[in-house]
Amino acid sequence: MARFPEGFLWGASTAAHQVEGNNTNSDFWLMENLEGSVFKEPSGSAVDHYNRFKSDITEMARLGLNSYRFSIEWARIEPEEGQFEASEIEHYREVLLACKENKITPIVTLHHFSSPQWLIRLGGWESADTPARFARYCAHVMRELGELIPYVCTINEANISIGIKKIMKRYALKSGSPGAQVGMNMENMAEKMQKYFMGLSKAFGVPPTEVHSFLAPRSEEGLAVIFQAHVEARAAIRQISPQTKVGVTLSLYDIQSVPGGEENARDAWQEEFVQFVPYLNEDDFFGLQNYTRAVYGPDGLLPVPDDAETTQMGNEFYPEALGAVVRYVSTHLKMPIMITENGIATDDDTRRIAFINQALKGVQDCITDGFQVLGYMHWSLMDNFEWQLGFSKTFGLIEVDRNTQERTTKPSGIHLGEIAKENAI
Ligand code: BGC
């Protein structure tokens, strides 16, 4: 493979709730542990990254990776509104220092799906007060830790509700094609949902229709709340920590069409990406997350073809999507792109290696053609909690035995590290 540019960031991503364990003040903790929960299992101690971060980061460095994207958990930093937990700031300071000691560039996400329970009680991601609350938390983190943070993603997959809406519609129609790129448990959804929302309503103390956690369908106003939260957080971060580069991440399919489906594909790009461009124009970089493609025909989204290779998530194995999405977003955004997530859930690690090779080939071609790509963060550093689908999906470069929490690096982890080392200047 041709060389990547000097300073290219090679790494992997995680999210606090999926790996740390015992995120007890978060909305997800409450949703997972509720009777009749739609979650296949609770996150529990997850993969104990909260206690094992030092050895996990050391292992990344040993492999040859030079970057780590992880998230800081709002529910830990601000467990009750306005009460900031100093010991949790110290925890993340240690994580950032472990990165520094290992010459790993940290890319910090300030919100990766989970929120403090109090935020949901106050209207969650549909409340017009949420942007200011989010910006206040971001300001606090940056005041304390900003000097250790070179890159920050305010919100992970700010557009994910669109994919969720689509997947719900499709399950209602009983077809099986890609929807939201995240673990959603859709079995007997309608009945389960009604009961579940009654339980949630009781637990959060708000009416069943007012439980607005992040991974949910959303109104137009709710979408604006999320992007406004990004804009306000960006301003707060810049004021406190001007040297930190700020961006947001979006979940993006490589949207394609067969003859007759062109208009549907155009609408999908508009809905999933283009409509948000005005909120992103002043960012320092764009966080691109891609896992597969979505193909549109004259009647809408086409199912994954029967003969296609699929992943544990039911996605088509299609690593070519990454380069195509880099090219598409670059036509709308004049800023460097950071690939903040890309990967597959599989128990056949040889397919992960093939996926990485093909995806990187696409990125390399983009760079050769003059597109500016800052780095590649594979999802995920290790097998972890795939939201409503529990621990059943294995996305990791590192395997974790949850009985012992013992880690075993997979050949794909060694492989990505080798590529990083070959390209190190
Ligand atoms: C999310 C991750 C998730 C991954 C795999 C992304 O949508 O950011 O949290 O685990 O996809 O589904």
Side-chain angles (χ1 to χ4, degrees), residues 194 197-198 200-201 206-211:
Q194 208 183 352
F197 269 89
M198 292 310 290
L200 285 181
S201 154
V206 294
T209 50
E210 299 296 319
V211 185

Side-chain angles (χ1 to χ4, degrees), residues 172-192:
L173 297 171
K174 294 244 175 331
S175 81
S177 42
Q181 171 43 58
V182 62
M184 300 289 289
N185 179 7
M186 304 307 289
E187 280 166 34
N188 310 321
M189 207 34 143
E191 311 126 61
K192 277 210 294 198

Side-chain angles (χ1 to χ4, degrees), residues 143-157:
R143 212 171 290 121
E144 300 288 337
L145 302 174
E147 60 184 0
L148 294 168
I149 305 181
Y151 293 96
V152 91
C153 307
T154 54
I155 296 178
N156 180 67
E157 298 190 339

Side-chain angles (χ1 to χ4, degrees), residues 115-163:
S115 310
Q117 287 168 17
W118 61 261
L119 189 85
I120 310 306
R121 276 187 244 121
L122 295 178
W125 291 96
E126 292 274 346
S127 162
D129 295 327
T130 290
R133 292 183 168 124
F134 180 61
R136 181 182 57 186
Y137 146 72
C138 294
H140 180 77
V141 170
M142 298 313 284
R143 212 171 290 121
E144 300 288 337
L145 302 174
E147 60 184 0
L148 294 168
I149 305 181
Y151 293 96
V152 91
C153 307
T154 54
I155 296 178
N156 180 67
E157 298 190 339
N159 64 344
I160 189 72
S161 63
I162 292 169

